[in-house]
Amino acid sequence: MSFTSRDRETLATEGIDPARVPPGQYVTDRFPVLHAGVVPDVDLAAWDFTVRGLVGAERTWSWDEVETMPSRSVTRDIHCVTKWSKLDTVWEGVPVTHIWEQVDPDPAATHVMVFAYHGFTANLAIEDFVREGNLFAHTFDGRPLAPDHGFPLRLVVPHLYFWKSVKWVRGFELIHGDSPGFWERNGYHMRGDPFAEQRFWGD
Ligand SMILES: Nc1nc2c(c(=O)[nH]1)N[C@H]1C(S)=C(S)[C@@H](COP(=O)(O)O)O[C@H]1N2
Ligand SMILES: [Mo]
């Protein structure tokens, strides 16, 4: 066990409440990089963010417009299904609630399918998506997101396993009923609550 990788007993000796760490997870100080495929080549001048599907009117914003949106900072623990957790990560970005206020959801919408470059997607129930503390983050630890971690914008949904926190996000689609995204089609749980250990189908 290295100093960057700690179990519950070690955390308790450091004065960190072990209850913060979901079952089966260990805590790391590193910031691992995990994704399918390659890091996209992002052209900010051509970049846009789109809300579509079950909405009164589709909305699209340019990068310049997103940059001028209200931004807030949140500090949260994050939990990857591959078993690392990282405590007190500091993100800054546009609250999901702010974007949500700009859309006109059809009452039939129950879920969203968040989408990114290269066809990556993740599904979320609206209650899990439009939630205080969820961000479309452009900043991690006081600096713009690194290309590996989702530059220029990523979703951060800290209460669910981190695969829901879509990097290189380009928008979301409102849908009726749940539908699996990329990892969910590949065996991961539809919701992914780390404290309930919802890792895979059937968990
Ligand atoms: N666009 C995109 N976002 C993604 C993924 C991906 O494959 N593509 N992988 C997810 C997974 S499985 C994890 S654990 C986190 C990892 O984020 P990190 O590389 O910043 O640690 O990104 C999530 N977001
Ligand atoms: Mo992951």
Side-chain angles (χ1 to χ4, degrees):
M1 177 83 36
S2 81
F3 71 93
T4 58
S5 170
R6 291 112 85 216
D7 59 14
R8 286 150 188 284
E9 290 71 39
T10 316
L11 290 174
T13 67
E14 293 171 7
I16 296 167
D17 180 3
R20 286 171 68 179
V21 186
Q25 299 290 112
Y26 69 89
V27 169
T28 182
D29 293 327
R30 296 188 308 115
F31 193 3
V33 169
L34 272 150
H35 51 258
V38 295
V39 175
D41 200 358
V42 175
D43 172 6
L44 284 181
W47 186 96
D48 59 15
F49 185 95
T50 299
V51 182
R52 63 186 189 210
L54 296 174
V55 283
E58 190 170 304
R59 296 295 309 265
T60 300
W61 292 279
S62 67
W63 177 250
D64 289 350
E65 289 169 327
V66 170
E67 266 195 319
T68 63
M69 287 180 182
S71 183
R72 68 166 284 204
S73 168
V74 300
T75 302
R76 293 286 189 280
D77 302 342
I78 57 176
H79 311 290
C80 174
V81 72
T82 64
K83 302 206 161 179
W84 56 268
S85 291
K86 189 170 168 61
L87 304 182
D88 295 321
T89 60
V90 184
W91 304 90
E92 215 178 300
V94 181
V96 173
T97 52
H98 173 78
I99 300 275
W100 192 256
E101 285 160 13
Q102 325 291 310
V103 308
D104 173 21
D106 183 308
T110 56
H111 292 73
V112 296
M113 188 65 81
V114 182
F115 57 87
Y117 281 82
H118 303 326
F120 184 84
T121 53
N123 55 300
L124 288 157
I126 288 172
E127 311 83 78
D128 281 321
F129 178 61
V130 185
R131 193 177 149 116
E132 194 277 328
N134 289 355
L135 296 181
F136 287 106
H138 46 62
T139 303
F140 172 75
D141 232 356
R143 290 193 205 91
L145 289 180
D148 278 0
H149 288 296
F151 176 87
L153 198 71
R154 81 176 295 165
L155 180 62
V156 177
V157 176
H159 74 291
L160 299 178
Y161 282 124
F162 209 41
W163 85 77
K164 299 287 187 181
S165 291
V166 174
K167 302 196 278 191
W168 313 295
V169 66
R170 293 293 297 274
F172 58 91
E173 184 167 333
L174 283 76
I175 57 177
H176 175 73
D178 205 359
S179 173
F182 177 85
W183 290 112
E184 296 81 4
R185 282 196 298 273
N186 286 283
Y188 285 12
H189 196 276
M190 291 293 270
R191 176 153 190 258
D193 175 353
F195 287 91
E197 275 212 271
Q198 295 173 339
R199 297 176 190 275
F200 308 111
W201 295 345
D203 283 351

